[in-house]
């Protein structure tokens, strides 16, 4: 895609974020835009960067490693948002700033053990399976609190909050209901882990509903970079 198109799309997304913030009494400065660049070339990331984006989300390790190396001159914050196999934790811990898709203790332990000390702690979110679909990754709502406390106790990672990918819905009300569940769980866990400050939720189709329910990071792919030809949807759908 060309630069003018990406710039226009980013501005449109930023306007949607501001408008939703206004509608739901939120400070727009507390909502961060993550541009999800999976399957898109480094050139598109440069265009988005030049349009003001600083946070980028990637799902596939090999593809991400190539982009991160190519773009190492840019002060980009890289977020890993895809499913994690335990044999891939080392490179993830070595090149990413954030990991949003931690859903079991073993993965968190490996990330903590393998995080290079000179990089400082890895910022992580616990992914929760809010729609309880067997095919999706994410901790169950029931196990989330115990898991969060165990993850937060690890030395080289900081638990920043929760991430969720609800089942897609065209209904604004249904979208809000799913995000409200995540928010309630977040507030419950915050009693035990007060430094948690991140709700990573909201994609192209449901960012307004996510902001209405307290999202602090929205993850936007399609509405910035266009549709993905591989037919790749949210990582674990
Ligand atoms: C692909 C993906 C997104 C972006 O989804 P869009 O609908 O293209 O905005 C967000 N989060 C995760 C985890 C993804 O895999």
């Amino acid at each position: 895609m060309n630069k003018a198109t990406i710039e226009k799309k980013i501005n449109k997304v930023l306007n949607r974020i501001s408008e939703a913030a206004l509608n739901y009494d939120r400070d727009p400065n507390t909502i961060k835009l993550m541009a999800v660049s999976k399957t898109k070339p480094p050139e598109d990331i440069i265009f988005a960067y030049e349009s003001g984006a600083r946070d980028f989300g990637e799902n596939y390790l090999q593809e991400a490693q190539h982009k991160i190396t190519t773009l190492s001159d840019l002060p980009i914050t890289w977020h890993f948002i895809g499913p994690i196999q335990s044999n891939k934790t080392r490179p993830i811990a070595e090149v990413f700033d954030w990991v949003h898709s931690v859903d079991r203790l073993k993965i968190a332990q490996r990330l903590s053990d393998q995080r290079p000390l000179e990089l400082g702690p890895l910022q992580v979110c616990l992914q929760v399976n809010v729609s309880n679909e067997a095919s999706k990754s994410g901790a169950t709502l029931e196990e989330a609190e115990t898991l969060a406390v165990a993850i937060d106790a690890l030395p080289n990672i900081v638990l920043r909050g929760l991430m969720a990918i609800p089942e897609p819905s065209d209904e604004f009300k249904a979208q809000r209901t799913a995000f409200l569940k995540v928010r309630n769980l977040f507030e419950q866990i915050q009693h035990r882990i007060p430094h948690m400050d991140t709700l990573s939720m909201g994609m192209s189709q449901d960012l307004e509903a996510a902001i209405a329910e307290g999202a602090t990071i929205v993850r936007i792919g399609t509405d910035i970079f266009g549709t993905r030809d591989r037919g790749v949807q949210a990582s674990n759908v």
Side-chain angles (χ1 to χ4, degrees), residues 36 38 59 81 165 203-204 219-222 228 233-235:
V36 176
K38 62 179 174 222
N59 296 55
I81 61 174
I165 311 172
M203 315 199 300
S204 295
R219 310 177 311 267
I220 310 300
T222 309
R228 295 175 287 271
Q233 299 308 318
S235 63

Side-chain angles (χ1 to χ4, degrees), residues 56-68 76-82 88-100 111 115-116 119-123:
F56 289 86
E58 289 283 341
N59 296 55
Y60 309 106
L61 179 64
Q62 268 197 325
E63 183 195 325
Q65 279 174 309
H66 166 70
K67 293 180 200 176
I68 293 171
I76 285 175
T77 300
W78 293 100
H79 301 254
F80 191 79
I81 61 174
K88 300 284 168 59
T89 50
R90 184 179 297 280
I92 290 173
E94 286 173 352
V95 301
F96 283 89
D97 303 294
W98 282 69
V99 179
H100 294 236
L111 290 170
R115 178 67 168 175
L119 296 182
L122 187 65
Q123 311 298 302

Side-chain angles (χ1 to χ4, degrees), residues 38-235:
K38 62 179 174 222
T39 79
K40 302 297 177 183
E43 184 187 59
D44 286 10
I45 298 179
I46 294 173
F47 293 154
Y49 177 86
E50 289 172 349
S51 311
R54 291 294 177 272
D55 290 84
F56 289 86
E58 289 283 341
N59 296 55
Y60 309 106
L61 179 64
Q62 268 197 325
E63 183 195 325
Q65 279 174 309
H66 166 70
K67 293 180 200 176
I68 293 171
T69 307
T70 308
L71 302 171
S72 61
D73 286 349
L74 301 180
I76 285 175
T77 300
W78 293 100
H79 301 254
F80 191 79
I81 61 174
I84 306 172
Q85 292 164 303
S86 58
N87 63 344
K88 300 284 168 59
T89 50
R90 184 179 297 280
I92 290 173
E94 286 173 352
V95 301
F96 283 89
D97 303 294
W98 282 69
V99 179
H100 294 236
S101 41
V102 172
D103 64 357
R104 51 200 197 276
L105 187 58
K106 180 184 170 197
I107 295 293
Q109 276 164 338
R110 291 177 64 93
L111 290 170
S112 178
D113 289 347
Q114 294 166 344
R115 178 67 168 175
L117 289 179
E118 67 274 14
L119 296 182
L122 187 65
Q123 311 298 302
V124 314
C125 291
L126 173 61
Q127 181 176 352
V128 294
N129 182 354
V130 64
S131 304
N132 256 327
E133 288 163 88
S135 61
K136 282 196 184 171
S137 33
T140 64
L141 301 184
E142 294 71 35
E143 70 186 338
E145 180 169 345
T146 308
L147 199 49
V149 170
I151 291 172
D152 190 56
L154 295 168
N156 302 317
I157 63 184
V158 175
L159 184 69
R160 295 295 297 270
L162 302 180
M163 186 275 252
I165 311 172
E167 193 179 13
S169 164
D170 295 335
E171 286 262 310
F172 186 71
K173 258 181 131 171
Q175 292 175 358
R176 273 192 76 162
T177 303
F179 290 131
L180 175 60
K181 277 192 204 167
V182 186
R183 180 210 195 117
N184 287 338
L185 178 65
F186 176 76
E187 288 175 354
Q188 178 194 320
I189 299 175
Q190 251 183 344
H191 292 297
R192 310 268 303 268
I193 311 175
H195 65 79
M196 279 202 334
D197 59 2
T198 301
L199 265 176
S200 169
M201 58 189 198
M203 315 199 300
S204 295
Q205 296 304 320
D206 55 15
L207 80 86
E208 284 83 3
I211 288 171
E213 298 300 347
T216 65
I217 300 183
V218 292
R219 310 177 311 267
I220 310 300
T222 309
D223 284 359
I224 292 176
F225 298 110
T227 51
R228 295 175 287 271
D229 8 285
R230 278 196 220 161
V232 183
Q233 299 308 318
S235 63

